[in-house]
């Protein structure tokens, strides 16, 4: 589903990613591990072009999204992202946070379809074989209705239905992160990227977030997770990669990775953190 | 003090008996129209400029736009409001062959001028919003512009509301120069009353009081607005 080929990223003269290649299949759960400053976040942020790669390709559903000419906004709809600091929209209530993007992009698509149809109708006057109109089966009210239903069921899933109308600043860290996760779920993405989703949490809240991620994993969601939670990686991942100095030094099943590491630097790293 | 009573009597005679208050109300209306519409135009222009100035600058178009915006802001912050009014009214419009009532010119110039100041205020407001907000918007597939309008700018406005209020107060006070191009504001009205009675003490005193009341009312309005906007910050 995602085919990363020789990905490079430079910040000025600073080569942060030096040719990263990895294939990610549907349903994969890839944990990314490595020392601080090794380029893990940069790798993740390049995958959805939050940072524009300076070299290489990212083939996502058959399109090279590293190419600056593609409309990245369309592809980002299919690629959720969860941040270390949650980044819930502070000026929106919890339920608005979840509904905002689905409603906006669907209404945008609807508007675009209507515009195209209008143009087709006019040009059809001059055409011999008439062009077909795009069938329009929905309207704004229906889109909003559906998004609301979906948001409520997502909130019920994480047990926060009673918080629907409060602002994010009133939530605990764990609650914020769970809302952030379902916010990205609301777009029905093909893959979700997590950048240290539990690092900013108080220890007693880590569990609830990891549990939610585990339940996504069981449902077959494709996930790429930068994490320091080795136990979680061992339990949930089907592939663990070790990044250091902008390169993948080891990529293996969790069993191999933790019990039989090959790369000397990984061995050293594991001996320090385990 | 007998003297003062006499003056007050004279003022009241012109103000009420000879319908001087009509002029004052008209002046007050013009003062408020110029300041309010000027502020609204200023907020629109200022937000636009501030947005241009925070767009990442590795493409050519944003750079050109940014250069233009810097020029604009420099021009309007670098000259006094009176000069801008005079240049617009007596130089630019005649050259373009446009005739415009002086109140409209004043609204336009006040809008353009406050746009330059508000752009700086708005820019610092935008920069005060956590960068994660823009990232989160982009990550769910919203464009830069949509994220700006729906997420970043509302938060920026909340942060700068007190400063925007001060800008509004400054505009109200600065309207007292529009008489230079013949617009009838509060000052013109009271000046008229003064010259009719050859007595300026009371008219100007009343004028000062009206300005102070205006400013106090606006300050109160801002406080109320701030309080209601702070709802989204409240913790349990
Ligand atoms: N926007 C940026 N501009 C310049 N340099 C950057 C930028 N973002 C990251 N870097 C540099 O890239 C390198 C890798 O950073 P990155 O955040 O990817 O590391 P990381 O592996 O995620 O580390 P951590 O575990 O601390 O989060 C660092 O040297 C950092 O200084
Ligand atoms: Mg990081």
């Amino acid at each position: 589903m995602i085919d990363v080929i020789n990905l490079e990223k430079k910040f000025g003269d600073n080569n942060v990613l030096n040719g990263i290649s990895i294939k990610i299949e549907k349903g994969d759960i890839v944990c990314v591990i490595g020392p601080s400053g090794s380029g893990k976040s940069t790798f993740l942020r390049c995958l959805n072009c939050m940072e524009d790669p300076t070299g290489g390709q990212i083939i996502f559903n058959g399109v090279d999204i590293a190419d600056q000419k593609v409309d990245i906004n369309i592809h980002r709809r299919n690629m959720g992202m969860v941040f270390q600091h949650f980044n819930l929209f502070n000026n929106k209530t919890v339920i608005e946070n979840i509904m905002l993007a689905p409603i906006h992009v669907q209404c945008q698509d609807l508007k675009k379809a209507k515009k195209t149809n209008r143009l087709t109708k006019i040009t059809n006057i001059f055409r011999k074989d008439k062009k077909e109109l795009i069938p329009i089966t929905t309207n704004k009210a229906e889109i909003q209705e559906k998004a609301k239903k979906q948001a409520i069921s997502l909130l019920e899933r994480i047990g926060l239905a009673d918080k629907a109308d409060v602002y994010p600043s009133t939530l605990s860290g764990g609650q914020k992160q769970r809302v952030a996760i379902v916010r990205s779920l609301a777009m029905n993405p093909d893959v979700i990227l997590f950048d240290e989703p539990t690092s900013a949490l108080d220890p007693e809240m880590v569990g609830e977030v990891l549990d939610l991620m585990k339940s996504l994993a069981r449902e077959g969601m494709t996930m790429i997770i930068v994490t320091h939670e080795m136990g979680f990686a061992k339990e949930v991942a089907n592939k663990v990669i070790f990044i250091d100095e902008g390169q993948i030094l080891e990529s293996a099943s969790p069993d191999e990775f933790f019990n039989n590491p090959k790369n000397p630097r990984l061995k050293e790293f594991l001996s320090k953190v385990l | 003090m007998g003297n003062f009573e006499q003056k007050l009597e004279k003022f009241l005679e012109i103000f009420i008996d000879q319908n001087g208050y009509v002029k004052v109300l008209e002046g007050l209306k013009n003062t408020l129209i110029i300041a309010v519409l000027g502020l609204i135009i200023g907020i629109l222009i200022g937000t636009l400029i501030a947005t241009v100035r925070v767009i990442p600058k590795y493409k050519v178009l944003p750079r050109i736009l940014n250069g233009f915006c810097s020029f604009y802001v420099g021009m309007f912050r670098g000259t006094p409001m009176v000069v801008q009014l005079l240049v617009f009214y007596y130089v630019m419009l005649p050259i373009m062959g446009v005739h415009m009532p002086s109140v409209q010119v004043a609204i336009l110039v006040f809008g353009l001028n406050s746009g330059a100041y508000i752009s700086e205020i708005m820019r610092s407001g935008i920069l005060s919003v956590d960068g994660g907000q823009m990232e989160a918007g982009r990550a769910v597939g919203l464009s830069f512009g949509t994220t700006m309008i729906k997420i970043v700018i509302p938060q920026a406005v909340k942060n700068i509301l007190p400063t925007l209020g001060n800008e509004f107060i400054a505009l109200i006070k600065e309207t007292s120069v529009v008489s230079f191009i013949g617009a009838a504001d509060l000052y013109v009205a009271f000046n008229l009353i003064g010259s009719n009675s050859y007595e300026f003490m009371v008219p100007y005193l009343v004028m000062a009081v009206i300005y102070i009341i205006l400013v106090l009312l606006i300050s109160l309005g801002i406080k109320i607005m701030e309080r209601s906007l702070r709802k989204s910050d409240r913790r349990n």
Side-chain angles (χ1 to χ4, degrees), chain A residues 175-186:
Chain A
Q175 292 173 331
K176 280 183 194 167
Q177 194 61 300
R178 285 183 288 144
V179 172
I181 291 173
V182 296
R183 173 176 69 179
S184 65
L185 273 184

Side-chain angles (χ1 to χ4, degrees), chain A residues 13-265:
Chain A
D13 307 332
N14 185 4
N15 291 339
V16 177
L17 300 181
N18 301 306
I20 288 195
S21 299
I22 183 175
K23 250 197 171 78
I24 291 150
E25 306 291 346
K26 191 168 165 23
D28 270 356
I29 293 161
V30 180
C31 280
V32 182
I33 283 168
S36 182
S38 56
K40 306 180 296 294
S41 297
T42 306
F43 166 61
L44 210 63
R45 293 162 56 78
C46 279
L47 287 182
N48 66 353
C49 299
M50 294 298 269
E51 303 287 356
D52 286 318
T54 45
Q57 290 173 301
I58 300 164
I59 315 291
F60 178 51
N61 291 337
V63 181
D64 178 12
I65 57 173
D67 182 351
Q68 305 249 351
K69 281 186 225 71
V70 302
D71 181 359
I72 188 66
N73 294 332
I74 306 245
H75 298 285
R76 282 196 187 131
R77 297 178 188 179
N78 303 319
M79 238 186 201
M81 187 167 211
V82 173
F83 303 86
Q84 184 175 352
H85 296 287
F86 332 125
N87 296 350
L88 292 177
F89 303 132
N90 293 326
N91 59 328
K92 302 280 175 193
T93 61
V94 166
I95 194 162
E96 285 169 350
N97 261 276
I98 301 172
M99 299 188 303
L100 178 78
I103 290 178
H104 181 79
V105 300
Q106 286 176 68
C107 284
Q108 220 180 15
D109 287 349
L110 182 66
K111 240 193 246 165
K112 222 187 256 167
K114 278 185 181 162
K115 215 163 133 192
T116 317
N117 278 354
R118 240 169 248 151
L119 199 72
T120 317
K121 244 180 178 165
I122 291 172
T123 48
N124 270 353
I125 300 172
F126 308 103
R127 279 207 186 92
K128 257 203 199 114
D129 27 306
K130 308 290 183 201
K131 215 165 120 188
E132 294 246 353
L133 297 183
I134 307 167
I136 289 180
T137 54
T138 182
N139 58 45
K140 207 169 161 182
E142 200 179 275
I143 290 173
Q144 278 166 338
E145 184 82 13
K146 259 196 203 152
K148 185 156 185 193
K149 260 197 201 137
Q150 185 201 23
I152 290 172
S153 81
L154 284 170
L155 281 175
E156 275 164 357
R157 168 177 186 167
I158 56 173
L160 291 179
D162 57 324
K163 299 283 186 188
D165 296 316
V166 306
Y167 285 93
S169 58
T170 63
L171 300 180
S172 74
Q175 292 173 331
K176 280 183 194 167
Q177 194 61 300
R178 285 183 288 144
V179 172
I181 291 173
V182 296
R183 173 176 69 179
S184 65
L185 273 184
M187 296 294 286
N188 298 316
D190 297 329
V191 52
I192 304 183
L193 315 173
F194 295 82
D195 191 359
E196 303 197 27
T198 58
S199 298
L201 295 176
D202 291 338
E204 76 268 21
M205 293 171 182
V206 171
E208 61 192 69
V209 171
L210 292 184
D211 284 344
L212 175 58
M213 291 168 65
K214 280 178 203 166
S215 85
L216 294 185
R218 277 195 298 274
E219 288 163 17
M221 176 57 77
T222 315
M223 307 200 275
I224 306 174
I225 308 162
V226 174
T227 184
H228 294 299
E229 298 283 336
M230 300 301 163
F232 175 80
K234 250 184 238 179
E235 186 186 336
V236 180
N238 64 346
K239 190 192 261 181
V240 186
I241 62 176
F242 177 67
I243 292 189
D244 195 8
E245 293 181 352
Q247 282 179 318
I248 297 182
L249 296 186
E250 184 129 353
S251 166
S253 71
D255 187 37
E256 275 283 307
F257 188 92
F258 290 105
N259 300 327
N260 192 11
K262 310 228 162 32
N263 184 281
R265 260 190 286 181

Side-chain angles (χ1 to χ4, degrees), chain B residues 142-208:
Chain B
L142 304 181
S143 66
F144 176 86
T146 306
T147 314
M148 215 59 196
I149 291 168
K150 297 206 167 198
I151 308 296
V152 178
I153 289 177
Q155 294 180 48
V157 168
K158 198 172 88 178
N159 293 345
I160 61 172
L161 205 63
T163 327
L164 269 186
N166 287 341
E167 174 65 17
F168 184 42
I169 290 171
L171 280 182
I172 291 265
K173 292 190 289 191
E174 272 196 283
T175 50
S176 56
V177 300
V178 296
S179 57
F180 275 79
I181 58 168
D185 72 330
L186 269 180
Y187 161 74
V188 172
F190 280 105
N191 196 42
L192 196 72
I193 293 176
S195 21
N196 279 350
S197 61
Y198 307 105
E199 202 291 298
F200 288 93
M201 184 192 263
V202 179
Y204 283 171
L205 188 65
V206 176
M207 177 172 77

Side-chain angles (χ1 to χ4, degrees), chain B residues 29-60:
Chain B
K29 191 187 85 187
N30 281 340
T31 292
L32 286 177
I33 282 183
I34 293 168
V36 170
L37 293 185
L39 183 77
I40 291 172
I41 296 174
I43 289 177
L44 294 178
I45 294 179
T47 307
L48 205 66
I49 294 180
T51 305
V52 168
R53 299 194 95 177
V54 297
I55 296 177
K57 307 258 172 334
Y58 25 74
K59 296 215 178 95
V60 181

Side-chain angles (χ1 to χ4, degrees), chain B residues 2-96:
Chain B
N3 194 9
F4 184 78
E5 261 166 43
Q6 231 175 353
K7 287 178 174 172
L8 189 63
E9 183 56 34
K10 225 177 196 175
F11 170 75
L12 288 178
E13 193 186 312
I14 295 183
F15 187 69
I16 298 173
D17 303 344
Q18 299 180 22
N19 291 339
Y21 70 92
V22 177
K23 288 265 180 255
V24 169
L25 285 181
E26 220 168 82
L28 183 64
K29 191 187 85 187
N30 281 340
T31 292
L32 286 177
I33 282 183
I34 293 168
V36 170
L37 293 185
L39 183 77
I40 291 172
I41 296 174
I43 289 177
L44 294 178
I45 294 179
T47 307
L48 205 66
I49 294 180
T51 305
V52 168
R53 299 194 95 177
V54 297
I55 296 177
K57 307 258 172 334
Y58 25 74
K59 296 215 178 95
V60 181
L61 185 66
R63 271 198 212 161
I64 294 173
L65 286 175
N66 193 48
F68 174 76
C69 290
S70 311
F71 174 73
Y72 174 94
V73 172
M75 285 279 292
F76 277 93
R77 300 218 310 173
T79 51
M81 181 82 91
V82 188
V83 174
Q84 291 161 22
L85 278 173
L86 292 176
V87 167
F88 256 80
Y89 195 68
Y90 292 109
V91 183
M92 303 275 277
L93 294 183
I95 287 179
M96 293 191 295

